[in-house]
Coordinates of all heavy atoms in Angstrom, one line a residue:
Y67 N 14.9 37.0 10.3 CA 15.4 37.4 8.9 C 16.1 38.7 9.0 O 15.8 39.5 9.9 CB 14.2 37.5 7.9 CG 13.3 36.3 7.9 CD1 12.2 36.1 8.7 CD2 13.6 35.3 6.9 CE1 11.5 35.0 8.6 CE2 12.8 34.2 6.8 CZ 11.8 34.0 7.7 OH 11.0 32.9 7.6
T68 N 17.0 39.0 8.1 CA 17.7 40.2 8.0 C 17.5 40.7 6.6 O 17.8 40.0 5.6 CB 19.2 40.1 8.3 OG1 19.3 39.6 9.6 CG2 19.9 41.4 8.2
L69 N 17.0 42.0 6.5 CA 16.7 42.6 5.2 C 17.7 43.7 5.0 O 17.9 44.5 5.9 CB 15.3 43.1 5.1 CG 14.2 42.2 5.4 CD1 12.8 42.9 5.3 CD2 14.2 41.0 4.4
S70 N 18.3 43.8 3.8 CA 19.2 44.9 3.5 C 19.1 45.3 2.0 O 18.5 44.5 1.2 CB 20.7 44.5 3.8 OG 21.0 43.4 3.0
G71 N 19.7 46.4 1.7 CA 19.6 46.9 0.3 C 18.2 47.3 -0.2 O 17.9 47.2 -1.4
L72 N 17.5 47.8 0.8 CA 16.1 48.2 0.4 C 16.1 49.7 -0.1 O 16.9 50.5 0.4 CB 15.2 48.2 1.7 CG 15.1 46.8 2.3 CD1 14.4 46.8 3.6 CD2 14.3 45.9 1.3
G73 N 15.2 50.0 -1.0 CA 15.1 51.3 -1.5 C 14.3 52.2 -0.6 O 13.7 51.8 0.4
R74 N 14.4 53.5 -0.8 CA 13.7 54.5 0.1 C 12.2 54.3 -0.1 O 11.8 53.9 -1.1 CB 14.2 55.9 -0.2 CG 13.6 56.5 -1.4 CD 13.9 58.0 -1.5 NE 15.3 58.3 -1.4 CZ 15.8 59.5 -1.3 NH1 14.9 60.5 -1.3 NH2 17.0 59.7 -1.2
G75 N 11.5 54.7 1.0 CA 10.1 54.6 0.9 C 9.5 53.7 1.9 O 10.2 53.1 2.8
A76 N 8.2 53.5 1.8 CA 7.5 52.6 2.7 C 7.5 51.1 2.2 O 7.4 50.9 0.9 CB 6.0 53.0 2.9
H77 N 7.7 50.2 3.1 CA 7.7 48.8 2.7 C 6.7 48.0 3.6 O 6.6 48.3 4.8 CB 9.1 48.2 2.8 CG 10.1 48.8 1.9 ND1 10.2 48.5 0.6 CD2 11.0 49.8 2.1 CE1 11.1 49.2 0.0 NE2 11.6 50.0 0.9
K78 N 6.1 47.0 3.1 CA 5.2 46.1 3.8 C 5.7 44.7 3.8 O 6.0 44.1 2.8 CB 3.8 46.2 3.2 CG 2.7 45.4 3.9 CD 1.4 45.6 3.3 CE 1.2 44.9 2.0 NZ -0.1 44.9 1.5
I79 N 5.7 44.1 5.0 CA 6.1 42.7 5.2 C 4.9 42.0 5.8 O 4.2 42.5 6.6 CB 7.4 42.5 6.0 CG1 7.3 43.2 7.4 CG2 8.6 43.0 5.3 CD1 8.5 43.0 8.3
T80 N 4.8 40.7 5.3 CA 3.8 39.8 5.9 C 4.5 38.4 6.0 O 5.4 38.1 5.3 CB 2.5 39.7 5.1 OG1 2.9 39.4 3.7 CG2 1.7 40.9 5.1
A81 N 4.0 37.6 6.9 CA 4.5 36.3 7.1 C 3.3 35.3 6.9 O 2.2 35.7 7.2 CB 5.1 36.1 8.5
Q82 N 3.7 34.1 6.5 CA 2.6 33.1 6.3 C 3.2 31.7 6.7 O 4.4 31.5 6.4 CB 2.2 33.1 4.8 CG 1.2 32.1 4.4 CD 0.9 32.1 3.0 OE1 1.8 32.1 2.1 NE2 -0.4 32.2 2.6
I83 N 2.4 30.8 7.2 CA 2.8 29.5 7.5 C 2.0 28.6 6.5 O 0.8 28.8 6.4 CB 2.6 29.1 8.9 CG1 3.5 29.9 9.8 CG2 2.9 27.6 9.1 CD1 3.4 29.6 11.3
V84 N 2.7 27.7 5.8 CA 2.1 26.8 4.9 C 2.4 25.3 5.3 O 3.5 25.1 5.9 CB 2.5 27.0 3.4 CG1 2.0 28.4 3.0 CG2 3.9 26.8 3.2
D85 N 1.6 24.4 4.9 CA 1.9 23.0 5.2 C 2.8 22.4 4.1 O 3.2 23.1 3.2 CB 0.6 22.2 5.3 CG -0.3 22.1 4.1 OD1 0.2 22.5 3.0 OD2 -1.5 21.7 4.2
A86 N 3.1 21.1 4.2 CA 4.0 20.5 3.2 C 3.5 20.5 1.8 O 4.3 20.5 0.9 CB 4.2 19.0 3.7
Q87 N 2.2 20.7 1.6 CA 1.7 20.8 0.2 C 1.6 22.2 -0.3 O 1.1 22.5 -1.4 CB 0.3 20.1 0.1 CG 0.3 18.6 0.3 CD 0.5 18.1 1.7 OE1 0.0 18.7 2.7 NE2 1.3 17.1 1.8
G88 N 2.0 23.2 0.6 CA 1.9 24.6 0.2 C 0.6 25.3 0.5 O 0.4 26.4 0.1
K89 N -0.3 24.6 1.2 CA -1.6 25.2 1.6 C -1.4 26.1 2.8 O -0.8 25.7 3.8 CB -2.6 24.1 1.9 CG -3.9 24.6 2.2 CD -4.9 23.5 2.5 CE -6.2 24.0 2.9 NZ -7.1 22.9 3.4
A90 N -1.9 27.3 2.7 CA -1.8 28.3 3.7 C -2.5 27.9 5.0 O -3.7 27.4 4.9 CB -2.3 29.7 3.2
K91 N -1.9 28.1 6.1 CA -2.5 27.7 7.4 C -2.9 29.0 8.2 O -3.9 29.1 8.8 CB -1.5 26.9 8.2 CG -1.3 25.5 7.7 CD -0.4 24.7 8.6 CE -1.1 23.4 8.9 NZ -0.4 22.6 9.9
I92 N -2.0 30.0 8.1 CA -2.2 31.3 8.8 C -1.4 32.4 8.2 O -0.3 32.1 7.6 CB -1.9 31.1 10.3 CG1 -2.4 32.4 11.1 CG2 -0.4 30.9 10.5 CD1 -2.3 32.2 12.6
L93 N -1.9 33.6 8.2 CA -1.2 34.7 7.6 C -1.2 35.8 8.6 O -2.2 36.1 9.3 CB -2.0 35.2 6.4 CG -1.5 36.4 5.6 CD1 -0.1 36.1 4.9 CD2 -2.5 36.9 4.6
S94 N 0.0 36.5 8.8 CA 0.1 37.5 9.7 C -0.5 38.8 9.2 O -0.8 39.0 8.1 CB 1.6 37.8 10.0 OG 2.2 38.5 8.9
E95 N -0.7 39.7 10.2 CA -1.1 41.1 9.8 C 0.1 41.8 9.1 O 1.2 41.5 9.5 CB -1.6 41.9 11.0 CG -2.9 41.5 11.6 CD -4.0 41.8 10.7 OE1 -4.1 42.8 10.1 OE2 -4.9 40.9 10.6
P96 N -0.1 42.6 8.2 CA 1.0 43.3 7.5 C 1.7 44.3 8.5 O 1.0 44.8 9.4 CB 0.4 44.0 6.3 CG -1.0 44.1 6.6 CD -1.4 43.0 7.5
R97 N 3.0 44.4 8.3 CA 3.8 45.4 9.1 C 4.4 46.3 8.2 O 5.1 45.9 7.2 CB 4.8 44.6 9.9 CG 5.6 45.4 10.9 CD 4.9 46.0 12.0 NE 4.1 45.2 12.9 CZ 4.4 44.9 14.2 NH1 5.4 45.5 14.7 NH2 3.6 44.2 14.9
V98 N 4.3 47.6 8.4 CA 4.8 48.7 7.5 C 6.0 49.3 8.2 O 5.9 49.7 9.4 CB 3.8 49.7 7.1 CG1 4.4 50.8 6.3 CG2 2.6 49.1 6.3
F99 N 7.1 49.5 7.4 CA 8.2 50.2 7.9 C 8.8 51.1 6.8 O 8.4 51.0 5.7 CB 9.4 49.3 8.5 CG 10.0 48.4 7.4 CD1 11.1 48.8 6.7 CD2 9.4 47.2 7.1 CE1 11.7 48.0 5.8 CE2 10.0 46.4 6.2 CZ 11.1 46.8 5.5
H100 N 9.6 52.1 7.2 CA 10.1 53.1 6.2 C 11.6 53.2 6.1 O 12.2 53.0 7.2 CB 9.5 54.5 6.6 CG 8.0 54.5 6.8 ND1 7.1 54.7 5.8 CD2 7.3 54.3 7.9 CE1 5.9 54.6 6.3 NE2 6.0 54.4 7.6
I101 N 12.1 53.4 4.9 CA 13.5 53.6 4.7 C 13.6 55.1 4.3 O 13.0 55.5 3.3 CB 14.1 52.7 3.7 CG1 13.9 51.2 4.0 CG2 15.6 53.0 3.4 CD1 14.7 50.8 5.2
R102 N 14.4 55.8 5.0 CA 14.7 57.2 4.7 C 16.1 57.4 4.3 O 17.0 56.8 5.0 CB 14.4 58.2 5.9 CG 12.9 58.1 6.3 CD 12.1 59.2 5.6 NE 10.7 59.0 5.8 CZ 9.9 59.6 6.6 NH1 10.4 60.5 7.4 NH2 8.6 59.3 6.7
Q103 N 16.4 58.2 3.3 CA 17.8 58.5 2.9 C 17.9 60.0 2.8 O 17.0 60.7 2.4 CB 18.1 57.8 1.6 CG 18.0 56.3 1.7 CD 18.2 55.7 0.3 OE1 18.5 56.3 -0.7 NE2 18.1 54.4 0.3
E104 N 19.1 60.5 3.1 CA 19.4 61.9 3.0 C 19.4 62.3 1.5 O 19.7 61.6 0.6 CB 20.7 62.2 3.6 CG 20.7 62.1 5.1 CD 22.0 62.6 5.7 OE1 22.7 63.4 5.1 OE2 22.4 62.0 6.8
T105 N 19.0 63.6 1.3 CA 19.0 64.1 -0.1 C 20.4 64.4 -0.5 O 21.2 64.9 0.3 CB 18.2 65.4 -0.1 OG1 16.8 65.1 0.3 CG2 18.1 66.0 -1.5
V106 N 20.8 64.0 -1.7 CA 22.1 64.2 -2.2 C 22.2 65.4 -3.1 O 23.3 65.7 -3.5 CB 22.7 63.0 -2.9 CG1 22.8 61.8 -1.9 CG2 21.8 62.6 -4.0
G107 N 21.1 66.1 -3.3 CA 21.1 67.3 -4.2 C 21.9 68.5 -3.5 O 21.9 68.6 -2.3
A108 N 22.5 69.3 -4.4 CA 23.3 70.4 -3.9 C 22.3 71.5 -3.3 O 21.2 71.7 -3.9 CB 24.1 71.0 -5.0
P109 N 22.7 72.2 -2.2 CA 21.7 73.2 -1.7 C 21.3 74.2 -2.7 O 20.2 74.8 -2.6 CB 22.5 73.8 -0.5 CG 23.6 72.8 -0.2 CD 23.9 72.0 -1.4
S110 N 22.2 74.6 -3.6 CA 21.9 75.6 -4.6 C 20.8 75.2 -5.5 O 20.1 76.0 -6.1 CB 23.1 76.1 -5.4 OG 23.6 75.0 -6.1
R111 N 20.6 73.8 -5.6 CA 19.6 73.3 -6.5 C 18.3 73.0 -5.8 O 17.3 72.6 -6.4 CB 20.1 72.1 -7.2 CG 21.3 72.4 -8.1 CD 21.8 71.1 -8.9 NE 20.7 70.5 -9.6 CZ 20.7 69.3 -10.0 NH1 21.7 68.5 -9.8 NH2 19.7 68.8 -10.7
A112 N 18.3 73.1 -4.5 CA 17.2 72.8 -3.7 C 16.0 73.7 -4.0 O 16.2 74.9 -4.3 CB 17.5 72.8 -2.2
Q113 N 14.8 73.2 -4.0 CA 13.7 74.0 -4.3 C 12.7 73.9 -3.2 O 12.6 73.0 -2.4 CB 13.1 73.5 -5.6 CG 14.0 73.6 -6.8 CD 13.3 73.1 -8.0 OE1 12.2 72.6 -8.0 NE2 14.0 73.1 -9.1
G114 N 11.8 74.9 -3.2 CA 10.7 74.9 -2.2 C 10.4 76.3 -1.8 O 11.2 77.2 -1.9
P115 N 9.1 76.6 -1.5 CA 8.7 77.9 -1.2 C 9.3 78.6 0.0 O 9.5 79.8 0.0 CB 7.2 77.8 -1.0 CG 7.0 76.3 -0.6 CD 8.1 75.6 -1.3
S116 N 9.8 77.8 0.9 CA 10.4 78.4 2.1 C 11.9 78.7 2.0 O 12.5 79.3 2.9 CB 10.1 77.5 3.4 OG 10.8 76.3 3.2
L117 N 12.5 78.3 0.9 CA 14.0 78.5 0.8 C 14.4 79.9 0.4 O 15.3 80.4 0.8 CB 14.5 77.4 -0.2 CG 14.4 76.0 0.3 CD1 15.0 75.1 -0.8 CD2 15.2 75.8 1.6
R118 N 13.6 80.5 -0.5 CA 13.9 81.8 -1.0 C 12.6 82.6 -0.9 O 11.6 82.2 -1.4 CB 14.4 81.8 -2.4 CG 15.8 81.2 -2.5 CD 16.3 81.4 -4.0 NE 17.4 80.5 -4.2 CZ 17.6 79.8 -5.2 NH1 16.7 79.8 -6.2 NH2 18.6 79.0 -5.4
P119 N 12.8 83.9 -0.4 CA 11.6 84.7 -0.4 C 11.3 85.2 -1.9 O 12.2 85.3 -2.7 CB 11.9 85.9 0.5 CG 13.4 85.9 0.5 CD 13.9 84.5 0.3
P120 N 10.0 85.4 -2.2 CA 9.7 85.9 -3.5 C 10.4 87.3 -3.8 O 10.5 88.1 -2.8 CB 8.2 86.0 -3.6 CG 7.8 86.0 -2.2 CD 8.9 85.3 -1.4
P121 N 10.8 87.6 -5.0 CA 11.4 88.9 -5.2 C 10.3 90.0 -5.0 O 9.1 89.8 -5.3 CB 11.8 88.8 -6.7 CG 11.0 87.8 -7.3 CD 10.7 86.8 -6.2

Side-chain angles (χ1 to χ4, degrees):
Y67 303 89
T68 300
L69 306 177
S70 60
L72 300 170
R74 75 170 55 189
H77 297 280
K78 179 174 75 169
I79 53 176
T80 52
Q82 180 182 49
I83 295 177
V84 298
D85 63 15
Q87 289 75 38
K89 183 179 175 188
K91 292 182 126 184
I92 189 170
L93 181 67
S94 73
E95 290 292 320
R97 183 64 60 113
V98 176
F99 63 93
H100 308 274
I101 302 292
R102 299 266 167 104
Q103 297 175 5
E104 291 186 27
T105 302
V106 295
S110 63
R111 295 181 57 199
Q113 297 179 1
S116 63
L117 295 178
R118 291 189 197 132

